[in-house]
mmCIF file of all heavy atoms in Angstrom:
data_model
loop_
_atom_site.group_PDB
_atom_site.id
_atom_site.type_symbol
_atom_site.label_atom_id
_atom_site.label_comp_id
_atom_site.label_asym_id
_atom_site.label_seq_id
_atom_site.Cartn_x
_atom_site.Cartn_y
_atom_site.Cartn_z
ATOM 1 N N VAL A 1 43.566 -26.645 -76.689
ATOM 2 C CA VAL A 1 42.433 -27.557 -76.767
ATOM 3 C C VAL A 1 41.241 -26.813 -77.197
ATOM 4 O O VAL A 1 41.074 -25.635 -76.784
ATOM 5 C CB VAL A 1 42.364 -28.375 -75.475
ATOM 6 C CG1 VAL A 1 43.604 -29.207 -75.096
ATOM 7 C CG2 VAL A 1 41.986 -27.505 -74.279
ATOM 8 N N LEU A 2 40.262 -27.586 -77.792
ATOM 9 C CA LEU A 2 39.011 -27.001 -77.991
ATOM 10 C C LEU A 2 38.154 -26.880 -76.733
ATOM 11 O O LEU A 2 38.280 -27.699 -75.803
ATOM 12 C CB LEU A 2 38.178 -27.853 -78.943
ATOM 13 C CG LEU A 2 38.736 -28.026 -80.457
ATOM 14 C CD1 LEU A 2 37.859 -28.880 -81.220
ATOM 15 C CD2 LEU A 2 38.966 -26.586 -81.091
ATOM 16 N N THR A 3 37.413 -25.742 -76.622
ATOM 17 C CA THR A 3 36.501 -25.658 -75.495
ATOM 18 C C THR A 3 35.442 -26.737 -75.475
ATOM 19 O O THR A 3 35.183 -27.335 -76.538
ATOM 20 C CB THR A 3 35.861 -24.213 -75.421
ATOM 21 O OG1 THR A 3 34.981 -24.186 -76.526
ATOM 22 C CG2 THR A 3 36.896 -23.172 -75.485
ATOM 23 N N ASP A 4 34.714 -26.979 -74.371
ATOM 24 C CA ASP A 4 33.647 -27.881 -74.429
ATOM 25 C C ASP A 4 32.572 -27.474 -75.365
ATOM 26 O O ASP A 4 32.052 -28.432 -76.060
ATOM 27 C CB ASP A 4 32.995 -28.029 -73.011
ATOM 28 C CG ASP A 4 33.911 -28.760 -71.988
ATOM 29 O OD1 ASP A 4 34.837 -29.393 -72.429
ATOM 30 O OD2 ASP A 4 33.691 -28.574 -70.745
ATOM 31 N N ASN A 5 32.269 -26.227 -75.457
ATOM 32 C CA ASN A 5 31.336 -25.780 -76.486
ATOM 33 C C ASN A 5 31.690 -26.065 -77.926
ATOM 34 O O ASN A 5 30.856 -26.486 -78.749
ATOM 35 C CB ASN A 5 30.979 -24.284 -76.300
ATOM 36 C CG ASN A 5 30.196 -23.905 -75.107
ATOM 37 O OD1 ASN A 5 29.494 -24.835 -74.571
ATOM 38 N ND2 ASN A 5 30.210 -22.743 -74.691
ATOM 39 N N GLU A 6 32.994 -25.714 -78.157
ATOM 40 C CA GLU A 6 33.496 -26.067 -79.556
ATOM 41 C C GLU A 6 33.422 -27.549 -79.953
ATOM 42 O O GLU A 6 33.142 -28.048 -80.959
ATOM 43 C CB GLU A 6 34.956 -25.552 -79.684
ATOM 44 C CG GLU A 6 35.013 -24.087 -79.734
ATOM 45 C CD GLU A 6 36.528 -23.551 -79.593
ATOM 46 O OE1 GLU A 6 37.217 -24.137 -78.799
ATOM 47 O OE2 GLU A 6 36.840 -22.619 -80.295
ATOM 48 N N THR A 7 33.882 -28.341 -78.839
ATOM 49 C CA THR A 7 33.919 -29.779 -79.086
ATOM 50 C C THR A 7 32.511 -30.231 -79.367
ATOM 51 O O THR A 7 32.286 -31.079 -80.364
ATOM 52 C CB THR A 7 34.399 -30.516 -77.881
ATOM 53 O OG1 THR A 7 35.793 -29.962 -77.524
ATOM 54 C CG2 THR A 7 34.639 -31.940 -77.989
ATOM 55 N N LYS A 8 31.541 -29.878 -78.515
ATOM 56 C CA LYS A 8 30.097 -30.347 -78.751
ATOM 57 C C LYS A 8 29.569 -29.803 -80.134
ATOM 58 O O LYS A 8 28.871 -30.635 -80.778
ATOM 59 C CB LYS A 8 29.265 -29.995 -77.621
ATOM 60 C CG LYS A 8 29.585 -30.737 -76.308
ATOM 61 C CD LYS A 8 28.815 -30.321 -75.126
ATOM 62 C CE LYS A 8 29.209 -30.908 -73.839
ATOM 63 N NZ LYS A 8 29.824 -32.163 -73.843
ATOM 64 N N ALA A 9 29.855 -28.673 -80.454
ATOM 65 C CA ALA A 9 29.324 -28.129 -81.659
ATOM 66 C C ALA A 9 29.916 -28.850 -82.874
ATOM 67 O O ALA A 9 29.283 -29.156 -83.919
ATOM 68 C CB ALA A 9 29.607 -26.638 -81.795
ATOM 69 N N PHE A 10 31.299 -29.110 -82.807
ATOM 70 C CA PHE A 10 31.965 -29.847 -83.888
ATOM 71 C C PHE A 10 31.307 -31.281 -84.038
ATOM 72 O O PHE A 10 30.982 -31.672 -85.177
ATOM 73 C CB PHE A 10 33.507 -29.948 -83.588
ATOM 74 C CG PHE A 10 34.306 -30.471 -84.572
ATOM 75 C CD1 PHE A 10 35.709 -30.383 -84.395
ATOM 76 C CD2 PHE A 10 33.906 -30.977 -85.792
ATOM 77 C CE1 PHE A 10 36.613 -30.897 -85.306
ATOM 78 C CE2 PHE A 10 34.820 -31.538 -86.739
ATOM 79 C CZ PHE A 10 36.132 -31.377 -86.584
ATOM 80 N N LEU A 11 31.143 -31.885 -82.865
ATOM 81 C CA LEU A 11 30.499 -33.241 -82.909
ATOM 82 C C LEU A 11 29.157 -33.199 -83.533
ATOM 83 O O LEU A 11 28.833 -34.046 -84.444
ATOM 84 C CB LEU A 11 30.538 -33.881 -81.507
ATOM 85 C CG LEU A 11 30.058 -35.325 -81.469
ATOM 86 C CD1 LEU A 11 30.989 -36.263 -82.163
ATOM 87 C CD2 LEU A 11 30.065 -35.775 -79.957
ATOM 88 N N CYS A 12 28.373 -32.256 -83.069
ATOM 89 C CA CYS A 12 26.870 -32.082 -83.542
ATOM 90 C C CYS A 12 26.995 -31.807 -85.110
ATOM 91 O O CYS A 12 26.094 -32.411 -85.838
ATOM 92 C CB CYS A 12 26.210 -30.949 -82.889
ATOM 93 S SG CYS A 12 25.170 -31.398 -81.589
ATOM 94 N N ALA A 13 27.806 -31.060 -85.519
ATOM 95 C CA ALA A 13 27.850 -30.729 -87.012
ATOM 96 C C ALA A 13 28.271 -31.877 -87.924
ATOM 97 O O ALA A 13 27.827 -31.931 -89.028
ATOM 98 C CB ALA A 13 28.863 -29.477 -87.282
ATOM 99 N N ALA A 14 29.085 -32.739 -87.373
ATOM 100 C CA ALA A 14 29.595 -33.816 -88.211
ATOM 101 C C ALA A 14 28.925 -35.235 -88.016
ATOM 102 O O ALA A 14 28.914 -36.034 -88.869
ATOM 103 C CB ALA A 14 31.079 -34.006 -87.948
ATOM 104 N N ASP A 15 28.299 -35.464 -86.863
ATOM 105 C CA ASP A 15 27.759 -36.736 -86.456
ATOM 106 C C ASP A 15 26.399 -36.907 -87.021
ATOM 107 O O ASP A 15 25.367 -36.709 -86.280
ATOM 108 C CB ASP A 15 27.774 -36.785 -84.957
ATOM 109 C CG ASP A 15 27.288 -38.125 -84.480
ATOM 110 O OD1 ASP A 15 27.265 -39.160 -85.215
ATOM 111 O OD2 ASP A 15 26.918 -38.239 -83.160
ATOM 112 N N ASP A 16 26.328 -37.239 -88.293
ATOM 113 C CA ASP A 16 25.033 -37.428 -88.958
ATOM 114 C C ASP A 16 24.225 -38.539 -88.406
ATOM 115 O O ASP A 16 22.972 -38.389 -88.535
ATOM 116 C CB ASP A 16 25.282 -37.621 -90.490
ATOM 117 C CG ASP A 16 25.891 -36.431 -91.235
ATOM 118 O OD1 ASP A 16 25.732 -35.292 -90.750
ATOM 119 O OD2 ASP A 16 26.596 -36.636 -92.182
ATOM 120 N N ASP A 17 24.646 -39.554 -88.020
ATOM 121 C CA ASP A 17 23.881 -40.681 -87.428
ATOM 122 C C ASP A 17 23.696 -40.602 -85.844
ATOM 123 O O ASP A 17 23.101 -41.540 -85.288
ATOM 124 C CB ASP A 17 24.441 -41.976 -87.931
ATOM 125 C CG ASP A 17 25.802 -42.281 -87.338
ATOM 126 O OD1 ASP A 17 26.402 -41.474 -86.434
ATOM 127 O OD2 ASP A 17 26.465 -43.275 -87.694
ATOM 128 N N SER A 18 24.060 -39.517 -85.267
ATOM 129 C CA SER A 18 23.892 -39.352 -83.847
ATOM 130 C C SER A 18 24.463 -40.415 -82.935
ATOM 131 O O SER A 18 23.699 -40.739 -81.874
ATOM 132 C CB SER A 18 22.362 -39.038 -83.572
ATOM 133 O OG SER A 18 21.986 -37.969 -84.294
ATOM 134 N N ASP A 19 25.423 -41.033 -83.282
ATOM 135 C CA ASP A 19 26.046 -42.114 -82.482
ATOM 136 C C ASP A 19 27.042 -41.639 -81.472
ATOM 137 O O ASP A 19 27.649 -42.406 -80.744
ATOM 138 C CB ASP A 19 26.550 -43.253 -83.251
ATOM 139 C CG ASP A 19 27.761 -42.936 -84.170
ATOM 140 O OD1 ASP A 19 28.133 -41.731 -84.197
ATOM 141 O OD2 ASP A 19 28.293 -43.891 -84.751
ATOM 142 N N GLY A 20 27.261 -40.355 -81.423
ATOM 143 C CA GLY A 20 28.168 -39.686 -80.472
ATOM 144 C C GLY A 20 29.655 -39.765 -80.912
ATOM 145 O O GLY A 20 30.649 -39.534 -80.075
ATOM 146 N N ARG A 21 29.909 -40.053 -82.181
ATOM 147 C CA ARG A 21 31.330 -40.141 -82.710
ATOM 148 C C ARG A 21 31.292 -39.773 -84.235
ATOM 149 O O ARG A 21 30.176 -39.869 -84.798
ATOM 150 C CB ARG A 21 31.914 -41.477 -82.399
ATOM 151 C CG ARG A 21 31.098 -42.646 -82.888
ATOM 152 C CD ARG A 21 31.505 -43.832 -82.361
ATOM 153 N NE ARG A 21 30.756 -44.963 -82.969
ATOM 154 C CZ ARG A 21 31.014 -46.281 -82.902
ATOM 155 N NH1 ARG A 21 32.046 -46.663 -82.191
ATOM 156 N NH2 ARG A 21 30.277 -47.130 -83.537
ATOM 157 N N ILE A 22 32.382 -39.465 -84.832
ATOM 158 C CA ILE A 22 32.378 -39.129 -86.218
ATOM 159 C C ILE A 22 33.176 -40.232 -86.975
ATOM 160 O O ILE A 22 34.361 -40.589 -86.689
ATOM 161 C CB ILE A 22 33.226 -37.817 -86.401
ATOM 162 C CG1 ILE A 22 32.455 -36.742 -85.648
ATOM 163 C CG2 ILE A 22 33.406 -37.535 -87.879
ATOM 164 C CD1 ILE A 22 33.364 -35.351 -85.536
ATOM 165 N N GLY A 23 32.433 -40.896 -87.918
ATOM 166 C CA GLY A 23 33.044 -41.839 -88.740
ATOM 167 C C GLY A 23 33.747 -41.251 -89.959
ATOM 168 O O GLY A 23 33.639 -40.073 -90.222
ATOM 169 N N VAL A 24 34.521 -42.041 -90.683
ATOM 170 C CA VAL A 24 35.287 -41.500 -91.875
ATOM 171 C C VAL A 24 34.390 -40.861 -92.961
ATOM 172 O O VAL A 24 34.697 -39.824 -93.400
ATOM 173 C CB VAL A 24 36.155 -42.596 -92.482
ATOM 174 C CG1 VAL A 24 35.441 -43.694 -93.031
ATOM 175 C CG2 VAL A 24 37.170 -42.006 -93.411
ATOM 176 N N ASP A 25 33.152 -41.571 -93.197
ATOM 177 C CA ASP A 25 32.268 -40.958 -94.131
ATOM 178 C C ASP A 25 31.642 -39.550 -93.685
ATOM 179 O O ASP A 25 31.561 -38.581 -94.546
ATOM 180 C CB ASP A 25 31.118 -41.944 -94.454
ATOM 181 C CG ASP A 25 31.704 -43.189 -95.182
ATOM 182 O OD1 ASP A 25 32.776 -43.200 -95.865
ATOM 183 O OD2 ASP A 25 31.024 -44.219 -95.118
ATOM 184 N N GLU A 26 31.381 -39.582 -92.427
ATOM 185 C CA GLU A 26 30.885 -38.291 -91.886
ATOM 186 C C GLU A 26 32.019 -37.150 -91.981
ATOM 187 O O GLU A 26 31.595 -36.003 -92.324
ATOM 188 C CB GLU A 26 30.465 -38.462 -90.407
ATOM 189 C CG GLU A 26 29.248 -39.308 -90.251
ATOM 190 C CD GLU A 26 28.981 -39.693 -88.837
ATOM 191 O OE1 GLU A 26 29.921 -40.114 -88.119
ATOM 192 O OE2 GLU A 26 27.718 -39.742 -88.496
ATOM 193 N N PHE A 27 33.160 -37.522 -91.667
ATOM 194 C CA PHE A 27 34.319 -36.625 -91.685
ATOM 195 C C PHE A 27 34.510 -36.120 -93.088
ATOM 196 O O PHE A 27 34.648 -34.911 -93.438
ATOM 197 C CB PHE A 27 35.588 -37.331 -91.103
ATOM 198 C CG PHE A 27 36.823 -36.335 -91.050
ATOM 199 C CD1 PHE A 27 36.868 -35.389 -90.105
ATOM 200 C CD2 PHE A 27 37.750 -36.420 -92.015
ATOM 201 C CE1 PHE A 27 37.990 -34.485 -90.048
ATOM 202 C CE2 PHE A 27 38.898 -35.519 -92.015
ATOM 203 C CZ PHE A 27 38.904 -34.623 -90.974
ATOM 204 N N GLN A 28 34.515 -37.053 -94.087
ATOM 205 C CA GLN A 28 34.697 -36.641 -95.548
ATOM 206 C C GLN A 28 33.566 -35.731 -95.991
ATOM 207 O O GLN A 28 33.749 -34.715 -96.612
ATOM 208 C CB GLN A 28 34.725 -37.952 -96.395
ATOM 209 C CG GLN A 28 36.038 -38.584 -96.399
ATOM 210 C CD GLN A 28 36.140 -39.607 -97.384
ATOM 211 O OE1 GLN A 28 35.462 -40.615 -97.426
ATOM 212 N NE2 GLN A 28 37.000 -39.393 -98.424
ATOM 213 N N ALA A 29 32.323 -36.052 -95.549
ATOM 214 C CA ALA A 29 31.264 -35.203 -95.912
ATOM 215 C C ALA A 29 31.310 -33.754 -95.347
ATOM 216 O O ALA A 29 31.117 -32.847 -96.046
ATOM 217 C CB ALA A 29 29.899 -35.883 -95.388
ATOM 218 N N MET A 30 31.824 -33.717 -94.095
ATOM 219 C CA MET A 30 31.875 -32.383 -93.511
ATOM 220 C C MET A 30 33.084 -31.485 -94.165
ATOM 221 O O MET A 30 32.931 -30.335 -94.408
ATOM 222 C CB MET A 30 32.300 -32.432 -91.968
ATOM 223 C CG MET A 30 32.366 -31.123 -91.339
ATOM 224 S SD MET A 30 32.574 -31.277 -89.592
ATOM 225 C CE MET A 30 31.765 -29.839 -89.045
ATOM 226 N N VAL A 31 34.153 -32.182 -94.554
ATOM 227 C CA VAL A 31 35.245 -31.612 -95.179
ATOM 228 C C VAL A 31 34.905 -30.997 -96.522
ATOM 229 O O VAL A 31 35.282 -29.923 -96.929
ATOM 230 C CB VAL A 31 36.553 -32.479 -95.282
ATOM 231 C CG1 VAL A 31 37.621 -31.930 -96.194
ATOM 232 C CG2 VAL A 31 37.071 -32.737 -93.857
#
């Protein structure tokens, strides 16, 4: 499993609109 730090860093890096979750467009942009 990802560590808490990895999980939070991943979320921060991908969550462009800061809603606390990653949408499909945010995921595609990150990839």
Side-chain angles (χ1 to χ4, degrees):
V1 296
L2 295 180
T3 66
D4 288 344
N5 287 340
E6 289 170 320
T7 303
K8 290 182 188 323
F10 191 170
L11 187 60
C12 261
D15 183 19
D16 293 335
D17 61 7
S18 301
D19 65 354
R21 55 195 186 168
I22 301 169
V24 67
D25 293 335
E26 292 169 319
F27 183 75
Q28 282 190 292
M30 183 176 213
V31 167

